[in-house]
Amino acid sequence: HVQLVESGGGSVQVGGSLRLSCVASGDTIGRYCMGWFRQIPDREREGVAGIESDGSTSYADSVKGRFTISQDSAKNAVYLQMNKLKPEDTAMYYCAAGPKWGADCEYNYWGHGTQVTVS
């Protein structure tokens, strides 16, 4: 099993930046798809960015050009650099990990989340 702990959330002004971190333990992230998701109350959780073991990345259209996902295998960590933040980016952000089945990643390990507030 993989345990995930997020950090780096906080309050920031519109146009500002934050860097979220997700440190994994219990297994190496190189074996998994890693992703960042976000959720606001009464809304479905949405995928923000993902990175696979080969380093390929994907982004939601709403964050392309502003957010960057990266990983550091030595630290067993994944990061989400968020620039040009907008009020609509306000949400609880979750780190997730899971195996890849065919063309899809099955995220079945989740952190507890870190709050991002943009105003």
Side-chain angles (χ1 to χ4, degrees):
H1 294 290
V2 179
Q3 293 81 47
L4 303 170
V5 178
E6 304 96 334
S7 62
S11 297
V12 65
Q13 291 185 337
V14 172
S17 298
L18 282 174
R19 186 190 192 218
L20 305 184
S21 299
C22 171
V23 178
S25 59
D27 206 343
T28 175
I29 63 171
R31 298 182 58 188
Y32 298 97
C33 298
M34 301 296 297
W36 286 96
F37 293 75
R38 65 187 181 187
Q39 188 171 25
I40 59 175
D42 300 324
R43 295 280 294 273
E44 288 189 7
R45 187 159 47 193
E46 66 167 341
V48 175
I51 186 166
E52 298 186 19
S53 57
D54 63 0
S56 59
T57 58
S58 60
Y59 297 92
D61 287 343
S62 58
V63 307
K64 282 180 180 176
R66 300 188 298 122
F67 290 11
T68 303
I69 188 170
S70 62
Q71 60 186 4
D72 185 334
S73 58
K75 296 183 178 180
N76 216 31
V78 176
Y79 306 97
L80 186 68
Q81 177 66 44
M82 305 186 296
N83 298 328
K84 300 178 181 179
L85 283 160
K86 303 176 180 180
E88 52 263 43
D89 295 318
T90 295
M92 183 71 79
Y93 283 72
Y94 297 90
C95 177
K100 187 167 184 180
W101 294 104
D104 298 323
C105 295
E106 184 178 306
Y107 292 101
N108 47 20
Y109 301 107
W110 295 85
H112 291 293
T114 185
Q115 178 69 36
V116 171
T117 303
V118 185
S119 60

